[in-house]
Amino acid sequence: MVTNPLDYVEPLGKAGASGFTFHIEAAKDNWKELVQLIKSKGMTPGVSLKPRTPIEDVYPLLEDENPVELVLVMTVEPGFGGQKFMPEMMDKVRTLRKSYPSLDIEVSSGALSWLDFVSFLISVLDIEVDGGLGASTIDMAASAGANCIVAGSSVFGASDPAQVIALLRKSVEDSQKTK
């Protein structure tokens, strides 16, 4: 976590980053300015919630006229690799996914008006989970509604990283098909 995320938007944008996720604790007073700057640099803005941060803290950032587009739910305390997954954080994921369902619809001619469709698209939210994810925990995160996964130790510590990545991806894709 950085203490002043505004300082990093410009250099990361210039470096070609596609997204910029900041900890809500580091931007309590200037998150609107930060989200605007992130978007102006062509990046997707996201906000991260540490395990002890109440989910209610993210709602203003999601309900603003210029909202974040991703919420990262930390399932470990940030800063230290190899920690145990905190399954109780899946309640946050489920709560977010219930309010912001994933996009898995089939639109036939006349099923939705263009305005309804655009409105629906705006409500779609990427929910990312980071911390302790691997073969034994991925299904919990995916079935709770996470559609983006961060995996460090389980991938880089594996004898076959490609196999682990394929397993993580398959779990998320399979879970999205059943929703």
Side-chain angles (χ1 to χ4, degrees), residues 77-97:
E77 287 299 330
F80 307 98
Q83 296 178 62
K84 284 192 167 189
F85 178 82
M86 300 168 87
E88 61 273 20
M89 295 301 108
M90 294 305 95
D91 288 341
K92 290 181 179 180
V93 174
R94 279 188 282 280
T95 299
L96 287 166
R97 185 53 71 209

Side-chain angles (χ1 to χ4, degrees), residues 13-105:
K14 283 183 179 178
S18 60
F20 188 105
T21 300
F22 58 91
H23 283 270
I24 195 165
E25 297 84 359
K28 285 233 184 239
D29 298 326
N30 63 353
W31 64 264
K32 287 186 178 200
E33 176 186 2
L34 182 58
V35 169
Q36 180 59 42
L37 183 60
I38 292 167
K39 288 183 177 184
S40 76
K41 300 301 176 191
M43 295 182 285
T44 300
V47 64
S48 178
L49 291 174
K50 296 194 303 188
R52 292 188 201 125
T53 304
I55 193 166
E56 293 78 16
D57 285 6
V58 79
Y59 291 142
L61 287 79
L62 291 167
E63 296 166 1
D64 191 71
E65 63 185 33
N66 193 21
V68 294
E69 300 170 31
L70 175 144
V71 175
L72 169 59
V73 176
M74 300 293 300
T75 54
V76 298
E77 287 299 330
F80 307 98
Q83 296 178 62
K84 284 192 167 189
F85 178 82
M86 300 168 87
E88 61 273 20
M89 295 301 108
M90 294 305 95
D91 288 341
K92 290 181 179 180
V93 174
R94 279 188 282 280
T95 299
L96 287 166
R97 185 53 71 209
K98 184 177 178 185
S99 297
Y100 302 90
S102 60
L103 180 60
D104 189 20
I105 61 168

Side-chain angles (χ1 to χ4, degrees), residues 81-158:
Q83 296 178 62
K84 284 192 167 189
F85 178 82
M86 300 168 87
E88 61 273 20
M89 295 301 108
M90 294 305 95
D91 288 341
K92 290 181 179 180
V93 174
R94 279 188 282 280
T95 299
L96 287 166
R97 185 53 71 209
K98 184 177 178 185
S99 297
Y100 302 90
S102 60
L103 180 60
D104 189 20
I105 61 168
E106 198 170 304
V107 178
S108 60
S109 176
L112 288 175
S113 73
W114 177 247
L115 190 56
D116 288 339
F117 183 67
V118 169
S119 182
F120 180 78
L121 287 176
I122 291 168
S123 71
V124 175
L125 176 70
D126 280 329
I127 302 173
E128 187 170 46
V129 176
D130 181 4
L133 287 156
S136 65
T137 56
I138 185 60
D139 289 342
M140 278 186 275
S143 66
N147 64 320
C148 301
I149 303 299
V150 177
S153 300
S154 66
V155 172
F156 294 106

